[in-house]
mmCIF file of all heavy atoms in Angstrom:
data_model
loop_
_atom_site.group_PDB
_atom_site.id
_atom_site.type_symbol
_atom_site.label_atom_id
_atom_site.label_comp_id
_atom_site.label_asym_id
_atom_site.label_seq_id
_atom_site.Cartn_x
_atom_site.Cartn_y
_atom_site.Cartn_z
ATOM 1 N N GLY Q 1 -34.825 0.191 -21.835
ATOM 2 C CA GLY Q 1 -36.184 0.599 -21.503
ATOM 3 C C GLY Q 1 -36.307 1.295 -20.170
ATOM 4 O O GLY Q 1 -37.311 1.967 -19.908
ATOM 5 N N GLY Q 2 -35.309 1.159 -19.301
ATOM 6 C CA GLY Q 2 -35.372 1.807 -17.996
ATOM 7 C C GLY Q 2 -35.030 3.283 -18.018
ATOM 8 O O GLY Q 2 -35.186 3.969 -16.997
ATOM 9 N N ILE Q 3 -34.576 3.798 -19.153
ATOM 10 C CA ILE Q 3 -34.225 5.215 -19.234
ATOM 11 C C ILE Q 3 -35.511 6.043 -19.329
ATOM 12 O O ILE Q 3 -36.376 5.753 -20.164
ATOM 13 C CB ILE Q 3 -33.331 5.484 -20.454
ATOM 14 C CG1 ILE Q 3 -32.035 4.680 -20.329
ATOM 15 C CG2 ILE Q 3 -33.031 6.967 -20.602
ATOM 16 C CD1 ILE Q 3 -31.138 4.785 -21.539
ATOM 17 N N PRO Q 4 -35.688 7.047 -18.474
ATOM 18 C CA PRO Q 4 -36.916 7.856 -18.512
ATOM 19 C C PRO Q 4 -37.151 8.471 -19.898
ATOM 20 O O PRO Q 4 -36.219 8.858 -20.596
ATOM 21 C CB PRO Q 4 -36.653 8.936 -17.459
ATOM 22 C CG PRO Q 4 -35.645 8.338 -16.533
ATOM 23 C CD PRO Q 4 -34.772 7.473 -17.399
ATOM 24 N N VAL Q 5 -38.390 8.542 -20.272
ATOM 25 C CA VAL Q 5 -38.894 9.194 -21.480
ATOM 26 C C VAL Q 5 -38.391 8.501 -22.756
ATOM 27 O O VAL Q 5 -39.146 7.835 -23.447
ATOM 28 C CB VAL Q 5 -38.556 10.708 -21.526
ATOM 29 C CG1 VAL Q 5 -39.227 11.359 -22.740
ATOM 30 C CG2 VAL Q 5 -39.016 11.388 -20.248
ATOM 31 N N VAL Q 6 -37.094 8.656 -23.064
ATOM 32 C CA VAL Q 6 -36.597 8.142 -24.337
ATOM 33 C C VAL Q 6 -36.536 6.619 -24.361
ATOM 34 O O VAL Q 6 -36.429 6.018 -25.434
ATOM 35 C CB VAL Q 6 -35.209 8.728 -24.667
ATOM 36 C CG1 VAL Q 6 -35.291 10.226 -24.844
ATOM 37 C CG2 VAL Q 6 -34.192 8.371 -23.580
ATOM 38 N N GLY Q 7 -36.601 5.989 -23.193
ATOM 39 C CA GLY Q 7 -36.563 4.541 -23.148
ATOM 40 C C GLY Q 7 -37.845 3.885 -23.602
ATOM 41 O O GLY Q 7 -37.899 2.653 -23.755
ATOM 42 N N ARG Q 8 -38.881 4.666 -23.864
ATOM 43 C CA ARG Q 8 -40.181 4.079 -24.225
ATOM 44 C C ARG Q 8 -40.119 3.230 -25.485
ATOM 45 O O ARG Q 8 -40.835 2.244 -25.616
ATOM 46 C CB ARG Q 8 -41.211 5.199 -24.405
ATOM 47 C CG ARG Q 8 -41.670 5.821 -23.094
ATOM 48 C CD ARG Q 8 -42.649 6.936 -23.319
ATOM 49 N NE ARG Q 8 -42.047 8.041 -24.060
ATOM 50 C CZ ARG Q 8 -42.658 9.199 -24.318
ATOM 51 N NH1 ARG Q 8 -43.910 9.378 -23.921
ATOM 52 N NH2 ARG Q 8 -42.038 10.152 -24.979
ATOM 53 N N ARG Q 9 -39.260 3.593 -26.417
ATOM 54 C CA ARG Q 9 -39.197 2.827 -27.674
ATOM 55 C C ARG Q 9 -38.585 1.450 -27.463
ATOM 56 O O ARG Q 9 -38.646 0.607 -28.358
ATOM 57 C CB ARG Q 9 -38.402 3.607 -28.713
ATOM 58 C CG ARG Q 9 -36.914 3.700 -28.438
ATOM 59 C CD ARG Q 9 -36.167 4.502 -29.484
ATOM 60 N NE ARG Q 9 -36.524 5.902 -29.442
ATOM 61 C CZ ARG Q 9 -35.900 6.841 -30.159
ATOM 62 N NH1 ARG Q 9 -34.923 6.509 -30.984
ATOM 63 N NH2 ARG Q 9 -36.273 8.102 -30.076
ATOM 64 N N TYR Q 10 -37.982 1.223 -26.293
ATOM 65 C CA TYR Q 10 -37.389 -0.081 -25.986
ATOM 66 C C TYR Q 10 -38.239 -0.872 -24.985
ATOM 67 O O TYR Q 10 -37.774 -1.853 -24.418
ATOM 68 C CB TYR Q 10 -35.970 0.116 -25.431
ATOM 69 C CG TYR Q 10 -35.110 0.923 -26.363
ATOM 70 C CD1 TYR Q 10 -34.920 2.295 -26.164
ATOM 71 C CD2 TYR Q 10 -34.515 0.333 -27.472
ATOM 72 C CE1 TYR Q 10 -34.149 3.052 -27.035
ATOM 73 C CE2 TYR Q 10 -33.741 1.075 -28.351
ATOM 74 C CZ TYR Q 10 -33.567 2.439 -28.130
ATOM 75 O OH TYR Q 10 -32.802 3.180 -28.998
ATOM 76 N N ARG Q 11 -39.471 -0.415 -24.772
ATOM 77 C CA ARG Q 11 -40.415 -1.128 -23.912
ATOM 78 C C ARG Q 11 -41.461 -1.750 -24.818
ATOM 79 O O ARG Q 11 -42.111 -1.051 -25.588
ATOM 80 C CB ARG Q 11 -41.057 -0.159 -22.922
ATOM 81 C CG ARG Q 11 -40.052 0.566 -22.039
ATOM 82 C CD ARG Q 11 -40.689 1.700 -21.251
ATOM 83 N NE ARG Q 11 -39.666 2.588 -20.704
ATOM 84 C CZ ARG Q 11 -39.896 3.819 -20.259
ATOM 85 N NH1 ARG Q 11 -41.139 4.305 -20.298
ATOM 86 N NH2 ARG Q 11 -38.914 4.556 -19.786
ATOM 87 N N PHE Q 12 -41.646 -3.051 -24.679
ATOM 88 C CA PHE Q 12 -42.409 -3.768 -25.689
ATOM 89 C C PHE Q 12 -43.754 -4.297 -25.206
ATOM 90 O O PHE Q 12 -44.709 -4.326 -25.970
ATOM 91 C CB PHE Q 12 -41.561 -4.909 -26.247
ATOM 92 C CG PHE Q 12 -40.317 -4.438 -26.938
ATOM 93 C CD1 PHE Q 12 -39.112 -4.373 -26.256
ATOM 94 C CD2 PHE Q 12 -40.365 -4.008 -28.256
ATOM 95 C CE1 PHE Q 12 -37.966 -3.919 -26.887
ATOM 96 C CE2 PHE Q 12 -39.227 -3.548 -28.899
ATOM 97 C CZ PHE Q 12 -38.024 -3.498 -28.216
ATOM 98 N N LEU Q 13 -43.859 -4.726 -23.965
ATOM 99 C CA LEU Q 13 -45.111 -5.307 -23.490
ATOM 100 C C LEU Q 13 -45.383 -4.875 -22.056
ATOM 101 O O LEU Q 13 -44.463 -4.723 -21.247
ATOM 102 C CB LEU Q 13 -45.058 -6.837 -23.543
ATOM 103 C CG LEU Q 13 -45.051 -7.506 -24.927
ATOM 104 C CD1 LEU Q 13 -44.883 -9.003 -24.770
ATOM 105 C CD2 LEU Q 13 -46.336 -7.194 -25.679
ATOM 106 N N ASP Q 14 -46.652 -4.692 -21.741
ATOM 107 C CA ASP Q 14 -47.104 -4.411 -20.375
ATOM 108 C C ASP Q 14 -48.387 -5.205 -20.185
ATOM 109 O O ASP Q 14 -49.465 -4.776 -20.598
ATOM 110 C CB ASP Q 14 -47.335 -2.911 -20.193
ATOM 111 C CG ASP Q 14 -47.679 -2.542 -18.751
ATOM 112 O OD1 ASP Q 14 -48.047 -3.442 -17.974
ATOM 113 O OD2 ASP Q 14 -47.602 -1.345 -18.411
ATOM 114 N N LEU Q 15 -48.272 -6.383 -19.558
ATOM 115 C CA LEU Q 15 -49.374 -7.333 -19.477
ATOM 116 C C LEU Q 15 -49.676 -7.678 -18.027
ATOM 117 O O LEU Q 15 -48.787 -7.629 -17.168
ATOM 118 C CB LEU Q 15 -49.010 -8.627 -20.227
ATOM 119 C CG LEU Q 15 -48.648 -8.477 -21.700
ATOM 120 C CD1 LEU Q 15 -48.047 -9.776 -22.217
ATOM 121 C CD2 LEU Q 15 -49.864 -8.078 -22.517
ATOM 122 N N PRO Q 16 -50.918 -8.071 -17.726
ATOM 123 C CA PRO Q 16 -51.220 -8.551 -16.375
ATOM 124 C C PRO Q 16 -50.491 -9.860 -16.110
ATOM 125 O O PRO Q 16 -50.317 -10.682 -17.013
ATOM 126 C CB PRO Q 16 -52.740 -8.739 -16.389
ATOM 127 C CG PRO Q 16 -53.081 -8.945 -17.828
ATOM 128 C CD PRO Q 16 -52.111 -8.112 -18.607
ATOM 129 N N ALA Q 17 -50.052 -10.055 -14.876
ATOM 130 C CA ALA Q 17 -49.305 -11.264 -14.530
ATOM 131 C C ALA Q 17 -49.877 -11.899 -13.276
ATOM 132 O O ALA Q 17 -50.272 -11.203 -12.332
ATOM 133 C CB ALA Q 17 -47.828 -10.938 -14.312
ATOM 134 N N GLY Q 18 -49.916 -13.219 -13.258
ATOM 135 C CA GLY Q 18 -50.205 -13.958 -12.048
ATOM 136 C C GLY Q 18 -48.915 -14.333 -11.355
ATOM 137 O O GLY Q 18 -47.819 -14.040 -11.820
ATOM 138 N N GLY Q 19 -49.042 -15.017 -10.216
ATOM 139 C CA GLY Q 19 -47.866 -15.412 -9.461
ATOM 140 C C GLY Q 19 -47.358 -14.295 -8.576
ATOM 141 O O GLY Q 19 -47.901 -13.182 -8.553
ATOM 142 N N GLY Q 20 -46.314 -14.581 -7.824
ATOM 143 C CA GLY Q 20 -45.753 -13.602 -6.907
ATOM 144 C C GLY Q 20 -44.355 -13.996 -6.488
ATOM 145 O O GLY Q 20 -43.726 -14.891 -7.069
ATOM 146 N N SER Q 21 -43.880 -13.361 -5.432
ATOM 147 C CA SER Q 21 -42.505 -13.566 -4.995
ATOM 148 C C SER Q 21 -42.267 -14.943 -4.400
ATOM 149 O O SER Q 21 -41.145 -15.439 -4.420
ATOM 150 C CB SER Q 21 -42.127 -12.494 -3.967
ATOM 151 O OG SER Q 21 -42.159 -11.218 -4.555
ATOM 152 N N ASP Q 22 -43.300 -15.565 -3.863
ATOM 153 C CA ASP Q 22 -43.126 -16.825 -3.153
ATOM 154 C C ASP Q 22 -43.833 -17.988 -3.826
ATOM 155 O O ASP Q 22 -43.985 -19.051 -3.216
ATOM 156 C CB ASP Q 22 -43.652 -16.685 -1.722
ATOM 157 C CG ASP Q 22 -42.916 -15.624 -0.944
ATOM 158 O OD1 ASP Q 22 -41.686 -15.552 -1.050
ATOM 159 O OD2 ASP Q 22 -43.580 -14.844 -0.235
ATOM 160 N N THR Q 23 -44.282 -17.821 -5.058
ATOM 161 C CA THR Q 23 -45.013 -18.883 -5.736
ATOM 162 C C THR Q 23 -44.076 -19.662 -6.654
ATOM 163 O O THR Q 23 -43.013 -19.181 -7.047
ATOM 164 C CB THR Q 23 -46.172 -18.306 -6.558
ATOM 165 O OG1 THR Q 23 -45.665 -17.367 -7.512
ATOM 166 C CG2 THR Q 23 -47.177 -17.602 -5.661
ATOM 167 N N VAL Q 24 -44.489 -20.885 -7.015
ATOM 168 C CA VAL Q 24 -43.690 -21.706 -7.921
ATOM 169 C C VAL Q 24 -43.481 -20.962 -9.237
ATOM 170 O O VAL Q 24 -42.352 -20.872 -9.744
ATOM 171 C CB VAL Q 24 -44.378 -23.063 -8.148
ATOM 172 C CG1 VAL Q 24 -43.678 -23.836 -9.264
ATOM 173 C CG2 VAL Q 24 -44.379 -23.877 -6.858
ATOM 174 N N MET Q 25 -44.548 -20.443 -9.830
ATOM 175 C CA MET Q 25 -44.392 -19.560 -10.978
ATOM 176 C C MET Q 25 -44.004 -18.194 -10.443
ATOM 177 O O MET Q 25 -44.842 -17.353 -10.146
ATOM 178 C CB MET Q 25 -45.671 -19.470 -11.810
ATOM 179 C CG MET Q 25 -45.459 -18.749 -13.136
ATOM 180 S SD MET Q 25 -46.954 -18.578 -14.155
ATOM 181 C CE MET Q 25 -47.688 -17.109 -13.421
ATOM 182 N N LYS Q 26 -42.711 -17.999 -10.292
ATOM 183 C CA LYS Q 26 -42.220 -16.785 -9.633
ATOM 184 C C LYS Q 26 -42.315 -15.591 -10.566
ATOM 185 O O LYS Q 26 -41.823 -15.611 -11.689
ATOM 186 C CB LYS Q 26 -40.778 -16.970 -9.174
ATOM 187 C CG LYS Q 26 -40.214 -15.749 -8.448
ATOM 188 C CD LYS Q 26 -38.776 -15.950 -8.077
ATOM 189 C CE LYS Q 26 -38.582 -16.540 -6.717
ATOM 190 N NZ LYS Q 26 -39.103 -15.764 -5.621
ATOM 191 N N THR Q 27 -42.993 -14.547 -10.076
ATOM 192 C CA THR Q 27 -43.004 -13.237 -10.722
ATOM 193 C C THR Q 27 -42.778 -12.234 -9.600
ATOM 194 O O THR Q 27 -43.710 -11.696 -9.027
ATOM 195 C CB THR Q 27 -44.335 -12.972 -11.444
ATOM 196 O OG1 THR Q 27 -45.422 -13.171 -10.523
ATOM 197 C CG2 THR Q 27 -44.519 -13.895 -12.631
ATOM 198 N N SER Q 28 -41.531 -12.013 -9.271
ATOM 199 C CA SER Q 28 -41.162 -11.351 -8.030
ATOM 200 C C SER Q 28 -41.483 -9.864 -8.042
ATOM 201 O O SER Q 28 -41.394 -9.199 -9.073
ATOM 202 C CB SER Q 28 -39.667 -11.550 -7.780
ATOM 203 O OG SER Q 28 -39.317 -11.129 -6.486
ATOM 204 N N ASN Q 29 -41.863 -9.364 -6.880
ATOM 205 C CA ASN Q 29 -42.141 -7.939 -6.721
ATOM 206 C C ASN Q 29 -41.710 -7.485 -5.332
ATOM 207 O O ASN Q 29 -41.769 -8.253 -4.369
ATOM 208 C CB ASN Q 29 -43.630 -7.642 -6.906
ATOM 209 C CG ASN Q 29 -44.492 -8.342 -5.880
ATOM 210 O OD1 ASN Q 29 -44.759 -9.535 -5.991
ATOM 211 N ND2 ASN Q 29 -44.932 -7.603 -4.862
ATOM 212 N N PRO Q 30 -41.281 -6.247 -5.197
ATOM 213 C CA PRO Q 30 -41.040 -5.703 -3.861
ATOM 214 C C PRO Q 30 -42.381 -5.461 -3.176
ATOM 215 O O PRO Q 30 -43.444 -5.579 -3.786
ATOM 216 C CB PRO Q 30 -40.322 -4.378 -4.155
ATOM 217 C CG PRO Q 30 -40.855 -3.974 -5.489
ATOM 218 C CD PRO Q 30 -41.052 -5.252 -6.256
ATOM 219 N N LEU Q 31 -42.338 -5.150 -1.879
ATOM 220 C CA LEU Q 31 -43.565 -4.707 -1.222
ATOM 221 C C LEU Q 31 -44.090 -3.509 -1.994
ATOM 222 O O LEU Q 31 -43.379 -2.531 -2.211
ATOM 223 C CB LEU Q 31 -43.294 -4.322 0.230
ATOM 224 C CG LEU Q 31 -42.921 -5.461 1.184
ATOM 225 C CD1 LEU Q 31 -42.618 -4.907 2.565
ATOM 226 C CD2 LEU Q 31 -44.023 -6.506 1.259
ATOM 227 N N ALA Q 32 -45.326 -3.585 -2.449
ATOM 228 C CA ALA Q 32 -45.848 -2.555 -3.349
ATOM 229 C C ALA Q 32 -47.291 -2.250 -3.000
ATOM 230 O O ALA Q 32 -48.112 -3.156 -2.858
ATOM 231 C CB ALA Q 32 -45.740 -3.008 -4.800
ATOM 232 N N GLY Q 33 -47.600 -0.961 -2.887
ATOM 233 C CA GLY Q 33 -48.951 -0.541 -2.556
ATOM 234 C C GLY Q 33 -49.811 -0.250 -3.764
ATOM 235 O O GLY Q 33 -50.979 0.112 -3.614
ATOM 236 N N GLY Q 34 -49.265 -0.398 -4.950
ATOM 237 C CA GLY Q 34 -50.029 -0.088 -6.149
ATOM 238 C C GLY Q 34 -49.462 -0.815 -7.351
ATOM 239 O O GLY Q 34 -48.842 -1.871 -7.235
ATOM 240 N N ARG Q 35 -49.674 -0.224 -8.510
ATOM 241 C CA ARG Q 35 -49.224 -0.832 -9.763
ATOM 242 C C ARG Q 35 -47.699 -0.893 -9.781
ATOM 243 O O ARG Q 35 -47.013 0.061 -9.425
ATOM 244 C CB ARG Q 35 -49.744 0.018 -10.925
ATOM 245 C CG ARG Q 35 -49.637 -0.619 -12.304
ATOM 246 C CD ARG Q 35 -50.254 0.348 -13.309
ATOM 247 N NE ARG Q 35 -50.086 -0.080 -14.680
ATOM 248 C CZ ARG Q 35 -51.024 -0.669 -15.407
ATOM 249 N NH1 ARG Q 35 -52.210 -0.892 -14.872
ATOM 250 N NH2 ARG Q 35 -50.801 -1.024 -16.658
ATOM 251 N N HIS Q 36 -47.155 -2.018 -10.217
ATOM 252 C CA HIS Q 36 -45.712 -2.211 -10.199
ATOM 253 C C HIS Q 36 -45.310 -3.179 -11.303
ATOM 254 O O HIS Q 36 -46.133 -3.926 -11.828
ATOM 255 C CB HIS Q 36 -45.259 -2.758 -8.836
ATOM 256 C CG HIS Q 36 -45.958 -4.037 -8.472
ATOM 257 N ND1 HIS Q 36 -47.147 -4.050 -7.778
ATOM 258 C CD2 HIS Q 36 -45.671 -5.336 -8.739
ATOM 259 C CE1 HIS Q 36 -47.552 -5.300 -7.618
ATOM 260 N NE2 HIS Q 36 -46.672 -6.098 -8.200
ATOM 261 N N ALA Q 37 -44.035 -3.175 -11.635
ATOM 262 C CA ALA Q 37 -43.511 -4.032 -12.697
ATOM 263 C C ALA Q 37 -42.839 -5.261 -12.104
ATOM 264 O O ALA Q 37 -42.161 -5.188 -11.083
ATOM 265 C CB ALA Q 37 -42.509 -3.259 -13.548
ATOM 266 N N VAL Q 38 -43.033 -6.389 -12.765
ATOM 267 C CA VAL Q 38 -42.308 -7.612 -12.435
ATOM 268 C C VAL Q 38 -40.985 -7.563 -13.184
ATOM 269 O O VAL Q 38 -40.963 -7.514 -14.410
ATOM 270 C CB VAL Q 38 -43.114 -8.860 -12.857
ATOM 271 C CG1 VAL Q 38 -42.309 -10.121 -12.580
ATOM 272 C CG2 VAL Q 38 -44.450 -8.903 -12.150
ATOM 273 N N ARG Q 39 -39.893 -7.589 -12.457
ATOM 274 C CA ARG Q 39 -38.575 -7.489 -13.082
ATOM 275 C C ARG Q 39 -37.745 -8.758 -12.943
ATOM 276 O O ARG Q 39 -36.657 -8.851 -13.502
ATOM 277 C CB ARG Q 39 -37.802 -6.310 -12.470
ATOM 278 C CG ARG Q 39 -38.461 -4.961 -12.689
ATOM 279 C CD ARG Q 39 -38.566 -4.647 -14.165
ATOM 280 N NE ARG Q 39 -39.026 -3.283 -14.411
ATOM 281 C CZ ARG Q 39 -39.375 -2.822 -15.603
ATOM 282 N NH1 ARG Q 39 -39.329 -3.622 -16.661
ATOM 283 N NH2 ARG Q 39 -39.778 -1.580 -15.752
ATOM 284 N N PHE Q 40 -38.245 -9.726 -12.205
ATOM 285 C CA PHE Q 40 -37.480 -10.935 -11.947
ATOM 286 C C PHE Q 40 -38.438 -12.110 -11.791
ATOM 287 O O PHE Q 40 -39.522 -11.969 -11.223
ATOM 288 C CB PHE Q 40 -36.661 -10.758 -10.657
ATOM 289 C CG PHE Q 40 -35.970 -12.017 -10.202
ATOM 290 C CD1 PHE Q 40 -34.714 -12.331 -10.677
ATOM 291 C CD2 PHE Q 40 -36.568 -12.878 -9.310
ATOM 292 C CE1 PHE Q 40 -34.075 -13.491 -10.278
ATOM 293 C CE2 PHE Q 40 -35.941 -14.036 -8.897
ATOM 294 C CZ PHE Q 40 -34.691 -14.345 -9.377
#
């Protein structure tokens, strides 16, 4: 899914997420000024 353009068929969900990098329910993100993906 990380491949530009053609990877779209391997991307399945894009949902709002709670939590963050330092919370018990970890949904880690880099420092981000806008919309970003949780990858870890």
Side-chain angles (χ1 to χ4, degrees):
I3 299 175
V5 186
V6 297
R8 286 179 297 185
R9 70 181 68 172
Y10 305 98
R11 302 169 195 163
F12 298 95
L13 290 175
D14 185 343
L15 302 169
S21 296
D22 299 318
T23 58
V24 171
M25 190 181 83
K26 181 183 269 299
T27 53
S28 190
N29 62 282
L31 292 177
R35 193 178 174 101
H36 56 271
V38 177
R39 298 299 188 190
F40 172 88

